[in-house]
Amino acid sequence: MFSVVTYSRVLVRAVANSITQGELGCIPAITSWSPRLISRFYSKQPAIDSVGKSYPCRLVTAVCGFSKMHTPRNHRPISKPAQSALLGNCLYGDDAYFVSTQNSADVLGVADGVGGWRHYGVDPSLFSQKLMESCKTLVESGMYDPSDPVELLSNGFDEMADNKAPLEGSSTACIVMLDRLKKTLHAANLGDSGFMVVRKGKVILRSEEQQHFFNSPFQLSIPPLHRRGEVHTDLPKDASVSSCEIELGDIIVTATDGLFDNMDENLILEELNNLQDYKLESLEVAVKRIAEQALELSHDPDYMSPFAQQAKENGYHVTGGKPDDITILLSLVAGT
């Protein structure tokens, strides 16, 4: 997902594969909460984890991804310091993610920073990373409701906006929560990242993609004052919300559009069917295999990718994959 304002520029960049990578930055952890957020928390009093309770399920999650700069034609390994920085900051290019395991809930999130901000001298990775860090910190502080992903996304975004030095930029976001006590999955998706729940080899639930028009997804934004009329400024409440009861053995795929624009459901299911068992090591092998296939297909000029098919439906006659950052969280619903 590349665009901010100009749709035609983004399509050309996606087809021509002329994407540049900005500098990755480190964002410190949140050290203080805004009065508005604290007031909201104590007035509503969302569920806080209780030590000692018995919960019937949990998520086991493996993560893999690639920056758009990592192409099949360039197999030179990332230097160890750079690789460490990527993994340590939960970043794959402009994508960011978090995984938080609490007593009463497992919470996951992915965010895709809008690359078009580079045209204005802004590093898109900073916004997505800060958004995911804000959400994770709220979860780990107990300031969340395990059945309300929209509230978590809203509070995380508000914390960014209330910061003394708010970041400029935009990002899509997908938050997935497993309420471990009620064995229920709750999710909120804003934009073209998303998730799918797989049970016994079939997709039983998939998030809804949200776009204003082709290749212009819904996005959370903090634009500079002089550009507020030019940038889409969707809100957390605009996210598509879904819930479902889960069963042991269900698989949840949470990812940015770098996966879904290059692999359809059938290809993803084929890879999941190759799982040898439900151990973490097998999940790690599977998620790496899926990410590598998405990477290969994203640079195949003759492949009719889901992105190319959607472009064709909108009157653009293009073929090939869509080079983009790829972030995949592969989770298994396991017993405790």
Side-chain angles (χ1 to χ4, degrees), residues 197-199 204 245-252 331-333:
V197 181
V198 179
R199 179 177 299 160
I204 65 167
E245 294 183 358
I246 54 88
E247 298 178 1
L248 297 182
D250 286 353
I251 296 173
I252 303 162
S331 305
L332 170 74
V333 180

Side-chain angles (χ1 to χ4, degrees), residues 75 123 127 145 160 264:
H75 288 287
D123 181 350
F127 189 98
D145 181 336
M160 292 175 60
D264 60 22

Side-chain angles (χ1 to χ4, degrees), residues 187-203:
N189 184 61
L190 185 82
D192 56 3
S193 294
F195 75 97
M196 51 192 284
V197 181
V198 179
R199 179 177 299 160
K200 298 178 181 178
K202 296 183 179 180
V203 177

